[in-house]
Amino acid sequence: MSTSRTFTLFRSLHFKTHKAAQPWLHKTTAKPDLPLSRTHTSKPWHRTGLNRGYATLTTGSGDEASHRIWNGNTNGNISNDQVARLAARRLHPLALGDLVRHGRPPLSTSSLLSSANFTLSLLPIRLAHRIQALRNLPFIVVSNPHIASIYANYTHSLSTLLPWQERRITTLEEEVEFTAVMADLVATHSNTIPTLARGFLECRRYISPADVTRFLDEHLRARIGTRLIAEQHIALHLSSQPHNHTYNPNHNHGSPSSSQTTDPSSCIGVIDTALHPAHTIHHCTSTVSEICELKYGVRPTLIINGQTDATITHVPTHLEYIITELLKNAFRATVESGKEREPIEVTIAASPADEASAGPTEPNNPSAANGSPSIPGVTIRIRDRGGGIAPDVLPNIWAYSFTTFADEDVMDNGGNGGNGNGNIDALNAISGAGGDSSSLAGLGYGLPLGRAYAEHFGGGIQVQSLWGWGTDVYLTLKGLGKSG
């Protein structure tokens, strides 16, 4: 892997993971990747080690060694037997506890190597399952250039991991090489969702909507876990960096550095063990309000009530995507129904005290070590007076590719997030997931993808519509729930 290529990968990853401080949604052409809310920009792992991580992964022995890996099986020519053998293995049910079990950064060398080997034990199997699922699609569908490119990306990523699969990562040099492979995997699959969306839109004559929804529901849920596993190890690597001697000399003897003592972070990689949903809602409301005013000339007010000080262990970028999607719908319905003077009400309710007290303790619940009263789960209700959802539309809201936009508008959009000649409006060009950004605008993926993120760790989204009046949406988040 060339130095410039690796630098680009990690610069891209850094921008995606830490663009909370960027005014990303003030420009409708921006391409946010589930940015962390601005409430997290003060965390130490955002300030230390992450920028320095570029040099570690792009220079010296790590880069030279990565050439040896990349000069191997990188053309995607993997055998059917290799795919079948891996796809026959059972998928590990992923839980947030799995991702935080290695401890709070900076990690010791042994913990960092353990994280790398845990990541390596999961990803080849997950990639093989996706390759097998793509192979099971009708041939005319897989032949579509967009879907064929996704298939090629998965075979490429699996081919880069196969040289690692039969051995353990035992040295820091190997860990650096492996993390560079993870960065390539994340970058390679950054546009999976809009590319699949475009492909299935072009193939809708050859595959039923029910089959599309069934495939995408499984595929995109699996992609959420795969991407999260890779990004978690990369984040732990960049916030630890024992190979760069960024530890306090006393760290290996069990003494935390002074920065850890005075400013402990609630973040473990890409997971926040003391995430405030109210802060995320404030951030998303500000963004959606500005875009709504840009589009319609007005912005409804929003009221947050309930247990606004509640915290939860969760992935900030997932929550931000979900909240943005739900607020987009509420704002748009409220304004278009002429009820912009009616406030949108958001209520936060934490899990009951008896349920919270039954939660796991250290080491499975790292938030306890941070002194944070993080609870196992919260429910967020978003209530609007936007007239509700029409009865003939309600059954279709969870179907991928169901959209209220006209077909010609979607096709004219060209997958460019409203930057082509289409009529996709601003409110549908401000959120995306995994680097997909506004290219999902008008393709009907917002709500089902949001539900997939919510359900990934045991949560969910329920919609109660009172046609002619308004809609209540209930978002449930489970802090340490298991996923499929």
Side-chain angles (χ1 to χ4, degrees):
M1 183 186 296
S2 69
T3 298
S4 60
R5 180 176 182 181
T6 313
F7 176 84
T8 301
L9 293 176
F10 274 82
R11 183 179 181 186
S12 173
L13 176 66
H14 172 81
F15 180 71
K16 292 173 185 173
T17 309
H18 307 287
K19 66 169 68 119
Q22 308 293 332
W24 57 276
L25 283 174
H26 292 264
K27 300 179 180 179
T28 57
T29 57
K31 293 193 173 184
D33 181 14
L34 294 182
L36 296 172
S37 68
R38 291 169 183 162
T39 60
H40 303 284
T41 56
S42 62
K43 306 300 184 185
W45 73 290
H46 288 267
R47 302 194 309 265
T48 61
L50 293 173
N51 292 322
R52 294 195 300 269
Y54 300 155
T56 303
L57 290 159
T58 57
T59 59
S61 60
D63 185 57
E64 295 167 3
S66 66
H67 279 289
R68 297 194 296 270
I69 297 297
W70 276 86
N71 288 335
N73 185 16
T74 60
N75 57 7
N77 293 328
I78 53 179
S79 70
N80 291 335
D81 288 342
Q82 289 173 310
V83 174
R85 175 175 55 84
L86 289 170
R89 296 174 63 177
R90 178 177 172 271
L91 286 173
H92 175 81
L94 186 65
L96 283 173
D98 294 325
L99 300 175
V100 301
R101 69 180 185 179
H102 303 291
R104 194 175 304 282
L107 301 185
S108 65
T109 297
S110 61
S111 294
L112 191 60
L113 295 178
S114 176
S115 172
N117 283 299
F118 175 72
T119 303
L120 180 58
S121 71
L122 300 181
L123 290 187
I125 299 172
R126 285 177 166 266
L127 294 175
H129 274 265
R130 294 300 92 221
I131 292 172
Q132 195 67 49
L134 285 163
R135 288 179 174 179
N136 290 336
L137 289 171
F139 179 75
I140 194 170
V141 175
V142 184
S143 299
N144 177 273
H146 300 290
I147 297 177
S149 69
I150 297 300
Y151 177 83
N153 287 344
Y154 274 94
T155 56
H156 164 78
S157 294
L158 182 57
S159 71
T160 63
L161 285 177
L162 286 178
W164 297 89
Q165 196 208 2
E166 301 303 328
R167 60 190 177 98
R168 288 186 60 81
I169 299 170
T170 57
T171 67
L172 289 175
E173 289 76 15
E174 291 176 340
E175 190 273 333
V176 171
E177 299 172 36
F178 176 73
T179 305
V181 173
M182 290 298 94
D184 177 79
L185 184 148
V186 169
T188 297
H189 297 272
S190 62
N191 291 316
T192 291
I193 298 178
T195 304
L196 278 177
R198 182 61 48 188
F200 279 114
L201 191 62
E202 294 176 357
C203 293
R204 53 187 168 176
R205 279 182 273 177
Y206 312 115
I207 185 170
S208 70
D211 288 338
V212 170
T213 295
R214 185 164 45 250
F215 173 84
L216 287 174
D217 208 38
E218 177 186 353
H219 189 90
L220 298 182
R221 289 167 190 263
R223 176 186 179 272
I224 291 170
T226 300
R227 186 180 183 89
L228 186 60
I229 292 167
E231 288 186 333
Q232 176 70 354
H233 176 71
I234 294 170
L236 290 175
H237 170 96
L238 294 178
S239 56
S240 297
Q241 300 275 349
H243 38 74
N244 246 13
H245 307 290
T246 58
Y247 282 122
N248 181 285
N250 294 325
H251 178 77
N252 290 332
H253 301 285
S255 300
S257 65
S258 59
S259 62
Q260 288 177 286
T261 302
T262 59
D263 189 15
S265 171
S266 63
C267 290
I268 300 179
V270 296
I271 297 167
D272 192 342
T273 60
L275 175 63
H276 285 80
H279 294 175
T280 302
I281 294 168
H282 275 297
H283 169 63
C284 296
T285 299
S286 174
T287 296
V288 176
S289 294
E290 292 182 14
I291 301 298
C292 184
E293 187 169 18
L294 175 67
K295 168 65 179 178
Y296 297 105
V298 295
R299 58 168 77 190
T301 59
L302 185 138
I303 300 171
I304 302 177
N305 54 34
Q307 296 170 273
T308 56
D309 59 345
T311 63
I312 186 174
T313 299
H314 211 72
V315 185
T317 54
H318 290 188
L319 178 59
E320 192 157 322
Y321 173 79
I322 299 167
I323 294 295
T324 299
E325 255 329 301
L326 298 181
L327 290 182
K328 274 174 32 181
N329 292 331
F331 273 66
R332 184 177 179 187
T334 300
V335 173
E336 292 187 352
S337 65
K339 299 289 186 179
E340 61 271 8
R341 294 184 180 274
E342 297 287 342
I344 297 169
E345 181 183 357
V346 179
T347 304
I348 302 172
S351 300
D354 55 346
E355 181 179 340
S357 63
T361 56
E362 277 288 332
N364 295 325
N365 187 13
S367 61
N370 203 45
S372 237
S374 186
I375 56 175
V378 297
T379 299
I380 301 170
R381 183 188 67 189
I382 300 177
R383 169 172 288 177
D384 68 66
R385 283 286 310 279
I389 303 171
D392 60 324
V393 171
L394 189 58
N396 299 315
I397 62 174
W398 303 118
Y400 291 94
S401 294
F402 176 79
T403 176
T404 56
F405 287 102
D407 287 348
E408 58 268 21
D409 288 342
V410 174
M411 294 305 293
D412 286 345
N413 185 40
N416 293 323
N419 296 326
N421 298 321
N423 299 315
I424 303 303
D425 67 70
L427 274 184
N428 282 277
I430 64 173
S431 68
D436 311 315
S437 77
S438 57
S439 53
L440 286 174
L443 293 175
Y445 278 50
L447 274 178
L449 186 57
R451 186 172 70 165
Y453 275 101
E455 292 180 349
H456 196 72
F457 291 114
I461 299 178
Q462 299 293 328
V463 175
Q464 298 291 330
S465 171
L466 190 59
W467 177 231
W469 183 263
T471 304
D472 285 2
V473 179
Y474 295 86
L475 166 63
T476 303
L477 300 173
K478 298 293 185 182
L480 291 173
K482 290 185 178 179
S483 82

